[in-house]
Amino acid sequence: MDTRHMHIFMALAETLHFGRAAERMSMSQPPFSRQIAMIERMLGVKLFERNSRNVALTPAGEHFMKDCRTVLAQFEDACRDVRLVASGMKGELRFGFMMHAAHSVVPQLVQLYSEARPDVRLVLDERTPTEIDEMLVGGTLDAAVTFGCGYTPHLQTVLLTRERLRIIMRADHPLAGAAQIGPAALRAEKIIATPVATAPALRSAINSYFSAKGIVPNVVFEPRLQHTIIQLVAKGLGIALIPESLCAGLGAGLTSGTLTDPPQLDVVLCAPIVSKNPAVSTFMQIGKAIQHASKSI
Amino acid sequence: MDTRHMHIFMALAETLHFGRAAERMSMSQPPFSRQIAMIERMLGVKLFERNSRNVALTPAGEHFMKDCRTVLAQFEDACRDVRLVASGMKGELRFGFMMHAAHSVVPQLVQLYSEARPDVRLVLDERTPTEIDEMLVGGTLDAAVTFGCGYTPHLQTVLLTRERLRIIMRADHPLAGAAQIGPAALRAEKIIATPVATAPALRSAINSYFSAKGIVPNVVFEPRLQHTIIQLVAKGLGIALIPESLCAGLGAGLTSGTLTDPPQLDVVLCAPIVSKNPAVSTFMQIGKAIQHASKSI
DNA sequence: CCATTTGATACCTTAAAAGTATTGATCATG
DNA sequence: CATGATCAATACTTTTAAGGTATCAAATGG
């Protein structure tokens, strides 16, 4: 028994006429008649009551007709869907990003991609930059937004935006309201910074900002998440350099300031150069479209 | 593309080894290899990455594997279900009955049948005896409980029970509390009776009861439903002869009495002698079991 | 009663599936 | 590094199943 037999059965079930059903199946009536007999033999069930002038479905035939419709439709869907998946039009894409990137380019990227590929399920996974690197290499992420960090031999990257760091402090801090703040002004401050292990590029940018003026920052706390850094600053436990995109939504009692010659970090979209996931190429193209849009402003 | 191809694909998807997959399909490896190539060509999709030593599913192949599992399972279910329907183990049975029969044999019949055939959906349809006769003949009911009514050429019947008629009246009626009531005592009473068109057997039994003593009953109302008859009696608009099974649940203010030599009616289960619905035969067998059980008491 | 239509059967032809032999690629072992 | 074993793909041949034609028997309408 096979779907071809179901098609044959359906042709007769819908026409109740051997000759017309055979025509519908592009075959002559005698082999069609034999096929019907064979289907009934294979199932061990009488599907049609018939004589030389009348054909009618049995109750079992009526029931089988409903099931066949469903099975044949699902069969066609399976064949169509595998083609859609192969072409990247359908499937799943595991997308990682730094938490704070959700405040900048990630929503736009997600929106544009979801509109372009409504049948691809985006699996959103907030991760630290270090985790992102590991998961991209390990094949547990298909693409990700992270800080650009130099040489990436088997990853393709698209520069989405560049992001400056700003200094944040409590609103009652002596430096609050200063027009520009340089490293020298921060010499004596307690600094709260993300650890190297969590975000090497970010921490490296902070370190470089100070060391360029021969200053060693007094880092007193190194929590993993930017969110935690902001909370500790709110408690008056120090000040911090954080990505600009996080500064738009600071709570009451907090303020941010402009750094002199602020460090800048590349925010890039990464994916393996060779990906097994057909959905990734369109995702990267949309990243490139965002890149081009930001360049032309 | 056919389910046979899906089976071939699944064999390789599950083993990731051409030789073992070919064995599983009871064929040699070269034609198996050709079949896989043909499936990929038919779909226009690469399902496996492979060389002479390794076989792996592509993402499209992974997706197709899930869909194939579903389609093949549904295909088998369809073939199994048509056999179950053909054998009466599954399907639908349209069952009609007189409203008041829900107070007597119908619940038992429904319970026993549902236990015996849990996958057959009983469609319960309350109908008057005349409607039942028409629908059984017209093929819109598969079986029914009604009054026995003599010669039924193309119906098979099973006697389920015999039911006496009782007289009902308001509790403040002069005849309330009488030990036995004969036709003569009812000569002057306003009688409320079911019409011939609705229940010929019932009305004939009522007419016969009076005419056996040469009395013409004074029928003042002829509503179709027993429920309505009971309500009119409650309003004091007359008295009525109704089936005994309806008397157990009379409302406050109503009472029933025993008739002298009360008329009795057969309550039968009917179905066409030749039914296209395979589920009917078991239903009739359960009717016979109820018949035998009531005879042995 | 006869002609026409229709489903089933008998016989034959064609197409597709499967088998065998072999080749080329890959990997493990010495 | 060479060799042998294993494995997927290809070439050629055989077998099997599907389909076509001719015909028959049954049913129906005129």
Side-chain angles (χ1 to χ4, degrees), chain B residues 128 190-200 202-207 210 216-233 237-242:
Chain B
T128 66
K190 290 172 180 169
I191 304 294
I192 304 169
T194 194
V196 173
T198 300
L202 175 55
R203 181 56 186 268
S204 174
I206 296 171
N207 287 353
F210 285 96
V216 178
N218 179 22
V219 179
V220 293
F221 293 108
E222 285 178 294
R224 291 176 71 255
L225 303 185
Q226 298 297 304
H227 180 70
T228 311
I229 289 173
I230 294 170
Q231 288 203 322
L232 295 188
V233 170
L237 298 177
I239 64 175
L241 285 73
I242 65 170

Side-chain angles (χ1 to χ4, degrees), chain B residues 70-133:
Chain B
T70 301
V71 169
L72 293 175
Q74 296 223 353
F75 182 92
E76 297 303 321
D77 286 353
C79 294
R80 185 197 64 232
D81 282 358
V82 70
R83 293 182 178 105
L84 292 174
V85 169
S87 65
M89 301 292 288
K90 185 166 190 170
E92 179 174 286
L93 191 148
R94 298 161 301 175
F95 174 44
F97 54 92
M98 306 176 289
M99 259 104 6
H100 73 276
H103 293 268
S104 57
V105 291
V106 162
Q108 184 188 14
L109 187 55
V110 166
Q111 182 191 353
L112 289 174
Y113 185 73
S114 295
E115 287 168 1
R117 290 284 180 268
D119 292 320
V120 178
R121 193 164 82 85
L122 271 182
V123 180
L124 306 181
D125 199 352
E126 297 94 331
R127 294 282 170 173
T128 66
T130 297
E131 287 170 336
I132 283 172
D133 287 344

